[in-house]
Amino acid sequence: MTAPDLLTFGEAMVSLRSAGPLAAGGSLTMHLAGAESNVAVGVARLGHRAAWVGRVSGDEFGEYTLRQLRAEGVEVAGVSRDADRPTGLMFLEQRTADLTRVQYHRAGSAASALRVDDLRAPLAAGARMLHLTGITPALSDTAREATRWAAEAAAAAGIPVCLDVNYRARLWSRESARAVLAPLAGHAAIVIASADELDLVGEPGADESTLVADLFRRGVHTVLVKLGADGARAHTPDGVQHVGTLTVTAVDPVGAGDAFTAGYLSGWFDGLDLPGRLRRAATLGAFAVSTRGDCEGLPRRAELSLLEGHETGSVLR
């Protein structure tokens, strides 16, 4: 069998969502969550081969995780089951119409036991792109070493590496993150970060142009800076391009950055030029924010044109 288009690894979690304050009680709905698995699902829905590697618990939540990924067409052959550790949980409450609050229960999870040996065989099988985030190395010492090893091994094997900074303040400090992520970026071909995360892969306090120039000197060829409602900037050695957002009614911002990444990588797999990759990234971001759940609303290939020229409240008959 040929190598997958996308190989990624990290922590897939179970997300339990409440439509109101958790303290008030009420029903919870269960969803698949996790930055890397979100990207894998987004890529797979657009017809690319995606493989996700990680460690999941032997409990029912671990089984749910694998079933959801398999149902989305994501390859999970390299996943290990861990009977001694729980699945990471994430609770989300719609605290106000404009504010979603998140609580994590992930300490000591199965995913935190990820180690280099979990990645050797999947990486040896090859991939067109290895996707990493700054979340996985924050989980534990072994996960940090596994991430470093994978980035170095992929780069040495000629596999392009995409690094999404995806900083999580509840997992580590900015100083600790910078000490790990700045060296990691030196193995990446693509670096993705929000404007307030970019200095975590370079000099603290430096401006965007300085940070981008440093990344280019270190071998990165594309730097994507996410700007939220203002879209994104793409830096390449040929210059800077900007993409705006599509006009949609935003109901849930969770997973929007992962959707953007999935769209960009899908465009890269399809051989689109930079403007085309950015348009697809913006399209997937729009689908993500206008539907609830981390990845449930991401489009399939036949749906990519649904938002073109639409008006709010449109009904397709």
Side-chain angles (χ1 to χ4, degrees):
M1 182 178 286
T2 58
D5 296 307
L6 179 77
L7 173 63
T8 190
F9 62 88
E11 180 166 33
M13 308 176 70
V14 169
S15 168
L16 298 168
R17 288 173 166 260
S18 169
L22 286 170
S27 61
L28 296 169
T29 56
M30 192 159 79
H31 306 263
L32 177 69
E36 299 85 2
S37 55
N38 288 342
V39 172
V41 169
V43 166
R45 285 199 180 180
L46 294 178
H48 309 286
R49 284 187 59 203
W52 178 86
V53 178
R55 298 179 71 88
V56 301
S57 177
D59 62 18
E60 288 79 7
F61 289 133
E63 184 61 33
Y64 171 82
T65 297
L66 293 181
R67 288 185 64 185
Q68 293 299 106
L69 288 169
R70 291 190 186 107
E72 294 289 353
V74 176
E75 299 171 19
V76 293
V79 174
S80 300
R81 300 296 295 268
D82 191 330
D84 299 322
R85 291 173 177 267
T87 299
L89 301 178
M90 180 169 69
F91 291 85
L92 292 94
E93 59 178 338
Q94 191 75 42
R95 193 60 188 84
T96 71
D98 300 314
L99 176 64
T100 298
R101 191 158 58 181
V102 180
Q103 296 183 36
Y104 294 104
H105 293 261
R106 69 198 308 178
S109 68
S112 69
L114 184 77
R115 57 182 186 269
V116 171
D117 285 346
D118 294 318
L119 306 178
R120 293 188 189 278
L123 198 55
R128 292 178 63 191
M129 177 74 70
L130 174 67
H131 175 62
L132 311 174
T133 79
I135 299 173
T136 304
L139 298 178
S140 67
D141 291 342
T142 61
R144 188 172 307 124
E145 174 60 19
T147 306
R148 182 198 60 78
W149 176 86
E152 292 179 355
I159 300 172
V161 176
C162 173
L163 171 64
D164 188 343
V165 172
N166 237 327
Y167 175 64
R168 296 290 185 269
R170 294 187 185 181
L171 292 177
W172 54 357
S173 67
R174 293 184 70 87
E175 292 73 20
S176 296
R178 185 178 293 108
V180 173
L181 298 180
L184 203 61
H187 302 292
I190 303 169
V191 169
I192 304 173
S194 60
D196 63 347
E197 293 174 332
L198 191 58
D199 75 341
L200 295 178
V201 291
E203 187 68 24
D207 61 28
E208 186 173 309
S209 60
T210 300
L211 291 164
V212 169
D214 178 62
L215 288 169
F216 287 163
R217 284 193 295 270
R218 295 160 61 193
V220 177
H221 64 63
T222 304
V223 181
L224 302 175
V225 182
K226 295 178 290 186
L227 305 172
D230 293 325
R233 276 190 293 271
H235 297 264
T236 71
D238 295 326
V240 183
Q241 295 196 32
H242 179 268
V243 62
T245 57
L246 280 69
T247 301
V248 293
T249 300
V251 298
D252 186 356
V254 178
D258 304 328
F260 179 91
T261 297
Y264 185 88
L265 294 178
S266 169
W268 187 87
F269 293 138
D270 281 342
L272 301 184
D273 60 11
L274 181 59
R277 298 195 295 272
L278 291 173
R279 282 194 299 272
R280 186 169 295 179
T283 297
L284 262 68
F287 270 99
V289 300
S290 57
T291 53
R292 298 195 184 279
D294 280 52
C295 58
E296 285 91 330
L298 295 181
R300 305 194 184 278
R301 186 168 289 263
E303 298 176 314
L304 282 173
S305 62
L306 280 179
L307 299 182
E308 292 180 2
H310 86 293
E311 296 181 2
T312 302
S314 298
V315 178
L316 297 180
R317 301 184 184 275

